Amino acid sequence: KPRLSYGYYLGLNSYDFNIDYKSNLKDIQVIKSTGFNVGLVGNIRINDFFDLRLEPGLYYSKRDLIYPEFSQFNNQDDRFREVKSTYIHLPLLIKISAERINNFRPFILAGISTDFNLSSNHKNTDDNFSNVFRTQKQNINYELGLGFDFYLFYFKFSPSLRGIFSLQNEIIPDNTEGSPWTGHISKMFSRGFAINFTFEWGLRSKNFS
C-alpha cells in the first residue's frame, strides 16, 4: 500500500465525431479507425478505496469523413476528408476501488482531461477548398472508465476501458461562407473509447504484497 506509485500504459483507441447540423440534411458519415495510446502514470493513494491519478500520454487516431453529394462538389474526391489527430492527452482522474479479493480488485474512474492536438491545422490559412480540414488545437473532456487490478509478484497489471467525451466545439469554419464542408455544421465534438493496459509499481515493490 504505497503512498505513491508510478508506471506506464499502452493501449488502443477508436475516435468518432458527434456532429450537430444547422439544417436537415443527410448526415456526414464518420469512418473510425483504430489508433494507439502510450503514456505514463502517477498515482497518489488517498485511502484504501480512493486514488488520485495523473496519466499524461500520446493518443494517435484517424477518422474519415464521407459527405453527401452536394452540388458544390466538382468530383468524388471532394466528398472525402481524412482527419488525423495526434493528441497530447492530460487526464486527472479519481480512481474508486472495491474491496480486494485475493489478487484481484475492480475499480471505476472519473475525471477531466485536456487534449492538445498536434495535427489540428488550426494555424493553417488554407481550408477545405485546398483539401485542409481544420480543428481547434485544445479540447476539454470528461472521462469515465472501469477496469481491474491484478496484483502480481513484481508489479500491478490493470486493464481498463475508457470513454472520452469532448465538451468543446472543435471545428474551424472554412474561410468561405456556405462552404459545403463546414457551412452545414453547427458543432462537432470528439468522442472516443480507449483500452489501456497499465503496468504499475510502488516506490518499494514489496509494499504491493
Side-chain angles (χ1 to χ4, degrees):
K1 297 181 180 180
R3 180 71 173 174
L4 300 174
S5 57
Y6 62 94
Y8 67 91
Y9 63 85
L10 305 169
L12 302 172
N13 68 67
S14 178
Y15 273 83
D16 194 0
F17 280 123
N18 183 23
I19 302 174
D20 293 339
Y21 299 94
K22 295 179 180 178
S23 54
N24 294 325
L25 296 175
K26 189 176 180 181
D27 288 351
I28 299 169
Q29 186 179 0
V30 182
I31 306 299
K32 298 177 287 185
S33 300
T34 301
F36 67 87
N37 335 315
V38 60
L40 302 174
V41 175
N43 187 91
I44 300 175
R45 178 178 173 270
I46 300 173
N47 57 38
D48 285 345
F49 301 101
F50 291 89
D51 296 82
L52 183 66
R53 296 172 70 84
L54 182 65
E55 300 184 358
L58 185 70
Y59 281 52
Y60 173 81
S61 72
K62 184 175 79 73
R63 288 156 280 189
D64 294 322
L65 303 181
I66 303 178
Y67 284 81
E69 294 191 15
F70 294 133
S71 59
Q72 297 100 315
F73 291 154
N74 296 320
N75 53 63
Q76 285 296 309
D77 289 342
D78 288 339
R79 294 183 56 214
F80 300 92
R81 285 294 179 268
E82 183 181 71
V83 183
K84 292 183 178 180
S85 301
T86 303
Y87 295 116
I88 297 176
H89 187 65
L90 302 172
L92 182 64
L93 304 169
I94 290 289
K95 179 181 178 182
I96 306 171
S97 303
E99 286 280 1
R100 176 172 168 176
I101 304 171
N102 296 323
N103 290 322
F104 167 81
R105 194 179 201 190
F107 63 84
I108 60 174
L109 295 163
I112 59 172
S113 62
T114 184
D115 288 324
F116 295 92
N117 188 356
L118 304 181
S119 306
S120 67
N121 293 317
H122 72 288
K123 290 185 177 180
N124 200 327
T125 56
D126 292 331
D127 59 16
N128 278 289
F129 289 90
S130 300
N131 199 18
V132 177
F133 194 93
R134 300 178 298 177
T135 58
Q136 298 292 343
K137 179 182 179 181
Q138 184 179 7
N139 297 325
I140 301 295
N141 317 294
Y142 71 92
E143 296 194 24
L144 300 171
L146 56 87
F148 303 93
D149 287 331
F150 295 95
Y151 293 85
L152 306 178
F153 189 78
Y154 290 109
F155 61 90
K156 182 168 61 175
F157 172 62
S158 305
S160 62
L161 177 65
R162 314 287 181 88
I164 305 167
F165 306 96
S166 175
L167 297 171
Q168 290 183 263
N169 181 22
E170 298 176 46
I171 194 167
I172 297 178
D174 288 337
N175 303 321
T176 302
E177 187 176 353
S179 162
W181 293 280
T182 64
H184 305 292
I185 298 175
S186 173
K187 296 178 180 179
M188 176 181 283
F189 304 92
S190 282
R191 55 188 181 186
F193 292 92
I195 299 174
N196 284 345
F197 301 96
T198 302
F199 303 85
E200 193 172 341
W201 295 265
L203 294 180
R204 292 181 297 173
S205 60
K206 68 180 182 180
N207 287 337
F208 280 102
S209 60

